[in-house]
Amino acid sequence: MSPRRTLATAGRVLTQIRHDPRTIGLMLVVPSLLIGLIAWIFVDTDVFDQIGPAMLALFPFIIMFLVTSITTLRERRTGTLERLLTLPIAKLDFILGYTIAFGLLAIAQAAIATAFAVWVCGLTIEGSIWLLFAVALADAVLGTTLGLLVSAFAATEFQVVQFMPAIVFPQVLLGGIIVPRAQMPDVLQAVSDWLPLSHAIDALNAVARDSEDAAYVGGKLLILGAFAFGAVVLGSITLRRRTP
Amino acid sequence: MSSDAVVTVDALRVSRGRHEVLHGLGLSIPRGSLTGLLGPSGSGKSTLMRSIVGVQARVSGKVLVLGSPAGSRALRGRVGYVTQSASVYDDLTVRQNLAYFRAIMGAPRSDIDRALEQTGLEAEADRLVGSLSGGQRNRASLAAALLGQPELLVLDEPTVGLDPVLRNDLWAIFRELAAAGTTLIVSSHVMDEASRCDRLLLMRDGSLLSDLSPTELLASTGAADAEAAFLELIRKSDAA
Ligand SMILES: Nc1ncnc2c1ncn2[C@@H]1O[C@H](COP(=O)(O)OP(=O)(O)OP(=O)(O)O)[C@@H](O)[C@H]1O
Ligand SMILES: [Mg+2]
């Protein structure tokens, strides 16, 4: 592993994105627009205050996951990944470079989405707005690292596309948005304990209602961090220099 | 086999999908030579090249490159590889592409301008690769492989889509590199490029038909040009 190669990769990814205004818009603006749409749908009810925090987990997570896996998918399709892997770059340099680049974008995304939900859409936050931002950021970074894991794990571009729904949909369904996790059948509840998005949603709900102390939220942040860390390590182990 | 062989391949078998696509190839490539790899579409040229640079999975047999097994860590950066379709980033300029690959290789900064000059891309250096013509992109991809002066260059159809003038310029560069001691393996569909090579490997259906110099090839088949010689070899192998 080499910091120079990791940072060169992060810089390269950011330069690519700088040339691509649509992706910037997708990452920075679309989560806020979707949250705004949800707020509008439920404008005369108090539903938004109940599901708003979960939306702050959902949209950034899915969008970061998609953008990351599509960007790395493109790297595979155009042969640049194949070339890179014949060069003296560690697989971890490659994965970490992407994590850093998208992590920086996630900071901007989480700040915009949090501010928009609270100050434009009027989401009621009883707890600390900083904690809310911290969880939203961890959640977006998690989306990126899972996207990297999926594209590293896949042997072909087609497999990447196949893995995407398999990773995202169960987390959305079991995350406690449709039915609170406590009311789900025991088996599903146990499964959802092992899905990182559930913990992001738990943490955002706790901050919004101020229903738990900071240690609880800190614990959830640690869980999200552990999943992100695990995805980076596993991704750099499973990325193959040789492909069929 | 010469002890000065840069590439030694023995009993190489490769499976892709459900089929075996290389059936026990053996060859050796001497240092400083310019070797042409010719054969019809689907004959296994790219697969052989991918095996030599070490990105091909499901390989059996022996592939030694610069004394180490293909794809080993010691070889990274010593072998330049250009994939069949241009492997550069569309949403970066030519210079930004080269700057990134240079940083990964740890090559000197001056290599960027040298590679731009060798491939005649100085005027396009600050344009996005996505806005270049097909031939210009191929040259950008080639430029990236020239960074860091690799000892072995594996180029998969680098002249596809180029006009005769550019093709001529590129072959002149290949000859120059070979004269300076670089070993090159260049695949091509275009048979009239064969005469530019020191040696010709002719492939068909995953096997090696012949491994001769251009003059030997013409002499052994009595043909007037490489294309006729190739057809003659196919006829002979079918008859045998
Ligand atoms: N990804 C793949 N999966 C399965 N089979 C493949 C794959 N790539 C190539 N093949 C098969 O392997 C054989 C050799 O293909 P290869 O790409 O090496 O040929 P080639 O000589 O480079 O052809 P071309 O001149 O068209 O580039 C072909 O029969 C092809 O169908
Ligand atoms: Mg090919």
Side-chain angles (χ1 to χ4, degrees):
Chain A
M1 211 211 118
S2 118
R4 184 169 52 86
R5 297 193 173 102
T6 306
L7 292 179
T9 303
R12 184 265 293 173
V13 173
L14 286 173
T15 313
Q16 281 181 282
I17 290 175
R18 202 154 45 82
H19 288 141
D20 182 3
R22 264 175 303 177
T23 300
I24 298 179
L26 183 61
M27 271 193 282
L28 300 188
V29 184
V30 170
S32 297
L33 290 181
L34 291 171
I35 290 170
L37 183 62
I38 299 274
W40 194 10
I41 293 173
F42 295 110
V43 68
D44 290 326
T45 68
D46 59 359
V47 175
F48 184 62
D49 273 336
Q50 283 160 29
I51 63 167
M55 296 301 123
L56 206 46
L58 194 61
F59 295 129
F61 173 82
I62 294 181
I63 286 175
M64 289 310 273
F65 179 87
L66 285 179
V67 170
T68 309
S69 34
I70 289 169
T71 312
T72 45
L73 175 70
R74 210 167 48 157
E75 180 125 26
R76 202 184 276 276
R77 197 187 56 226
T78 56
T80 48
L81 182 61
E82 180 169 318
R83 182 205 288 266
L84 264 185
L85 293 177
T86 68
L87 299 179
I89 182 173
K91 294 184 285 180
L92 187 59
D93 289 330
F94 177 80
I95 303 270
L96 270 185
Y98 264 97
T99 310
I100 292 173
F102 283 111
L104 290 173
L105 291 162
I107 294 178
Q109 184 196 56
I112 293 171
T114 309
F116 189 83
V118 174
W119 288 307
V120 179
C121 304
L123 182 65
T124 313
I125 301 297
E126 313 269 348
S128 148
I129 188 113
W130 287 107
L131 268 183
L132 193 75
F133 168 72
V135 180
L137 174 60
D139 172 71
V141 170
L142 179 76
T144 283
T145 55
L146 287 183
L148 286 169
L149 173 59
V150 161
S151 30
F153 188 74
T156 61
E157 41 187 280
F158 187 54
Q159 283 181 8
V160 180
V161 180
Q162 288 174 320
F163 280 133
M164 286 203 284
I167 295 258
V168 168
F169 287 136
Q171 301 207 54
V172 174
L173 293 177
L174 298 177
I177 302 172
I178 303 172
V179 175
R181 292 211 295 138
Q183 294 169 22
M184 291 193 300
D186 288 349
V187 175
L188 293 184
Q189 205 176 323
V191 172
S192 77
D193 277 343
W194 286 95
L195 302 176
L197 190 64
S198 313
H199 296 281
I201 293 174
D202 283 355
L204 289 169
N205 282 331
V207 176
R209 283 156 213 159
D210 207 11
S211 53
E212 307 276 350
D213 57 9
Y216 171 88
V217 180
K220 293 290 181 189
L221 276 173
L222 272 181
I223 294 178
L224 295 180
F227 268 102
F229 180 79
V232 166
V233 171
L234 204 60
S236 56
I237 293 173
T238 51
L239 185 62
R240 288 277 157 265
R241 286 189 193 263
R242 287 180 183 270
T243 49
Chain B
M1 259 171 220
S2 147
S3 62
D4 206 24
V6 168
V7 178
T8 313
V9 174
D10 194 30
L12 169 65
R13 291 177 184 277
V14 176
S15 298
R16 300 186 84 164
R18 299 161 163 274
H19 305 284
E20 184 180 273
V21 297
L22 294 186
H23 318 291
L25 253 59
L27 55 98
S28 103
I29 291 178
R31 185 176 296 275
S33 64
L34 173 45
T35 302
L37 181 57
L38 303 173
S41 181
S43 57
K45 302 182 295 295
S46 296
T47 308
L48 174 58
M49 294 186 131
R50 282 169 47 84
S51 306
I52 290 172
V53 295
V55 296
Q56 179 65 50
R58 302 172 67 202
V59 170
S60 77
K62 189 176 80 169
V63 184
L64 272 184
V65 178
L66 300 163
S68 309
S72 50
R73 187 187 292 258
L75 295 176
R76 285 177 207 147
R78 294 174 69 195
V79 178
Y81 173 40
V82 176
T83 53
Q84 186 159 355
S85 51
S87 45
V88 274
Y89 299 99
D90 274 353
D91 35 16
L92 294 182
T93 66
V94 178
R95 193 182 291 281
Q96 286 166 342
N97 266 288
L98 297 184
Y100 174 59
F101 287 115
R102 182 208 69 82
I104 297 300
M105 307 270 305
R109 276 176 207 284
S110 54
D111 272 22
I112 297 177
D113 284 321
R114 179 180 54 81
L116 283 172
E117 192 208 310
Q118 280 179 313
T119 49
L121 281 174
E122 292 112 320
E124 287 78 24
D126 296 311
R127 282 176 54 191
L128 288 181
V129 168
S131 73
L132 299 180
S133 75
Q136 290 169 330
R137 283 149 78 106
N138 282 350
R139 280 184 286 148
S141 187
L142 175 63
L146 298 177
L147 300 167
Q149 307 202 311
E151 292 161 67
L152 170 66
L153 274 175
V154 179
L155 312 177
D156 201 350
E157 311 211 10
T159 58
V160 164
L162 298 187
D163 59 88
V165 177
L166 268 175
R167 266 205 340 237
N168 195 49
D169 290 352
L170 277 190
W171 279 99
I173 294 172
F174 300 160
R175 284 257 55 114
E176 240 171 69
L177 287 165
T182 307
T183 309
L184 293 98
I185 309 175
V186 183
S187 73
S188 177
H189 271 121
V190 188
M191 292 292 170
D192 66 9
E193 290 184 337
S195 60
R196 312 276 202 141
C197 303
D198 299 321
R199 297 173 62 251
L200 294 174
L201 300 172
L202 295 186
M203 289 190 70
R204 188 177 182 230
D205 293 341
S207 302
L208 210 54
L209 271 189
S210 81
D211 174 359
L212 301 165
S213 74
T215 23
E216 284 167 349
L217 176 69
L218 296 185
S220 72
T221 54
D225 58 36
E227 186 148 354
F230 187 60
L231 293 173
E232 175 64 19
L233 277 176
I234 289 177
R235 207 185 48 75
K236 273 189 195 159
S237 79
D238 283 348

